[in-house]
Amino acid sequence: MTEPSDAASAPREQSINVARGEPLVVLQDVQKHFGPLHVLKDIDLTVHHGEVVVVIGPSGSGKSTLCRAINRLETIESGSITIDGKPLPEEGQELARLRADVGMVFQSFNLFAHKTILENVTLGPIKVRKQGKAAAEKRAMELLERVGVAHQASKYPAQLSGGQQQRVAIARSLAMEPKVMLFDEPTSALDPEMINEVLDVMTALAKEGMTMIVVTHEMGFARRAADRVVFMSDGQILEENVPEEFFTNPQTDRAKDFLGKILTH
Ligand SMILES: Nc1ncnc2c1ncn2[C@@H]1O[C@H](COP(=O)(O)OP(=O)(O)O)[C@@H](O)[C@H]1O
Ligand SMILES: [Mg+2]
C-alpha cells in the first residue's frame, strides 16, 4: 500500500472547493423530459468564473442535453439556469446575446462550407457583435494564430483536416468573446493523431482562465486541465470531485464501472 495522497486524505468539501471566482453558470433543480424519458433529474451545478469542469458519463446519460440547456438550445421544464446572475432569456435579441456569451463547440465542426476560414470566424462578430469588418478580421487573425491555423485563413473548410477545422470552430467561438465555453465531445469525431492538437488548444485556454464546461472521455485532459469532474449517469449528477480524487477513488458503483470500462482502453 502506498500512503494516501493529500488529495485523498483531505476533507471532501475542502478538496472540491477550488473555485477561482464568483458563480458564473448556476443550475438549480433542473428537470427535463423527452416524452417519458427523464433526461435531466434534479441537476444542481455551479461553475465559477475561471473554472474548468469536465463532464463525463456513459452515452445517453444527458451530457449533451445539459450543454444544450445551458445554451438554451433545449428548454427545461422546471428549475433555473442563470449566467452571471441572469436567468436564460426566452427568445429574441436577448437570446441571441446569451448565445454569444456562451460559446459552444460540438463534435461536428459546423463551419460554413462556402465561406473561407476567415469569414467563418468574422461572421458572428460582424453580424451579432456589430464589429467593423477590419476590426473583426484583425481579431480573427489573432485567434487563428492562437489556434495554429492562421496560414489557412483564405482556405475553405473542406481543404482543412478535421483537427484544423475543430480549431477553427474554437477560434470562431472565441471571436464572440464568450463568458463561458461549452465543449461537447470536441474530439470524438477526430482521427487519433488530431485529438491532441485540439486538446492542446483547450488546455491553453483553460490555463488562460477561460471558464469551460467540457464533455469528454479524454481522461488525460481531465487530469491535466479540469478543476472538477462531474460524473453523470441516467440524467443525474452522481459524483463531483477534483480529478485526482475522482479517478483514484470513485464513490459510486456506476462511476467505478464506467471508469473500469474507459480506462482499460
Ligand atoms: N431530441 C430528443 N428527443 C428525444 N430523446 C432525446 C433527444 N435528445 C436526446 N434524447 C435522449 O435523451 C437521452 C440523453 O441524451 P444526451 O443528452 O444526448 O446524452 P449523452 O450526451 O450523455 O450521450 C438519451 O437517451 C437520448 O436518446
Ligand atoms: Mg452527447
Side-chain angles (χ1 to χ4, degrees):
M1 279 294 287
T2 52
E3 291 286 33
S5 69
D6 285 350
S9 55
R12 200 140 178 265
E13 287 305 312
Q14 190 187 321
S15 58
I16 299 175
N17 191 15
V18 291
R20 296 180 205 163
E22 294 291 305
L24 177 57
V25 181
V26 180
L27 290 88
Q28 283 177 312
D29 197 21
V30 169
Q31 312 287 344
K32 167 88 185 168
H33 289 78
F34 285 121
L37 185 69
H38 198 171
V39 65
L40 294 179
K41 296 177 189 161
D42 319 321
I43 299 289
D44 287 309
L45 178 67
T46 298
V47 180
H48 300 81
H49 279 275
E51 198 178 12
V52 178
V53 172
V54 162
V55 180
I56 69 169
S59 179
S61 55
K63 307 180 299 295
S64 293
T65 307
L66 179 76
C67 285
R68 292 169 58 80
I70 294 171
N71 210 6
R72 216 180 181 286
L73 293 167
E74 297 284 358
T75 56
I76 58 171
E77 285 136 23
S78 65
S80 72
I81 303 178
T82 58
I83 302 208
D84 241 352
K86 295 191 206 78
L88 298 193
E90 297 284 311
E91 56 193 4
Q93 200 65 32
E94 284 286 300
L95 183 56
R97 220 168 290 138
L98 165 90
R99 295 251 167 82
D101 281 346
V102 181
M104 183 128 184
V105 174
F106 303 90
Q107 183 175 328
S108 54
F109 330 120
N110 296 321
L111 298 175
F112 290 108
H114 301 292
K115 292 191 183 295
T116 65
I117 296 309
L118 183 65
E119 287 164 348
N120 266 280
V121 179
T122 57
L123 190 68
I126 292 171
K127 294 261 186 216
V128 180
R129 295 290 198 208
K130 308 293 180 202
Q131 282 181 14
K133 188 164 179 257
E137 288 185 348
K138 181 167 178 288
R139 178 73 182 136
M141 287 308 296
E142 287 168 7
L143 290 167
L144 289 171
E145 187 74 49
R146 188 158 144 199
V147 301
V149 286
H151 56 297
Q152 314 276 17
S154 60
K155 290 190 179 168
Y156 289 86
Q159 295 174 279
L160 271 59
S161 71
Q164 289 171 330
Q165 289 187 59
Q166 191 61 303
R167 286 183 282 145
V168 172
I170 294 171
R172 177 183 56 179
S173 279
L174 292 175
M176 301 297 275
E177 311 288 352
K179 290 180 177 166
V180 52
M181 288 279 287
L182 308 180
F183 293 85
D184 191 0
E185 302 205 26
T187 60
S188 301
L190 298 177
D191 292 332
E193 71 271 23
M194 293 170 189
I195 291 176
N196 280 336
E197 66 193 45
V198 172
L199 293 177
D200 287 348
V201 166
M202 291 167 60
T203 304
L205 259 187
K207 288 217 177 92
E208 286 160 27
M210 175 60 76
T211 308
M212 295 164 62
I213 300 173
V214 184
V215 179
T216 185
H217 291 166
E218 295 293 335
M219 298 303 124
F221 173 81
R223 282 177 183 268
R224 194 163 63 238
D227 294 304
R228 186 151 51 112
V229 173
V230 166
F231 175 71
M232 283 187 78
S233 180
D234 289 322
Q236 276 177 303
I237 292 179
L238 289 191
E239 297 195 29
E240 266 185 75
N241 218 328
V242 291
E244 207 49 47
E245 176 75 351
F246 174 74
F247 290 119
T248 53
N249 192 18
Q251 301 294 307
T252 60
D253 288 342
R254 289 284 176 100
K256 285 176 196 164
D257 182 54
F258 179 74
L259 287 176
K261 280 179 186 142
I262 57 165
L263 294 179
T264 51
H265 284 293

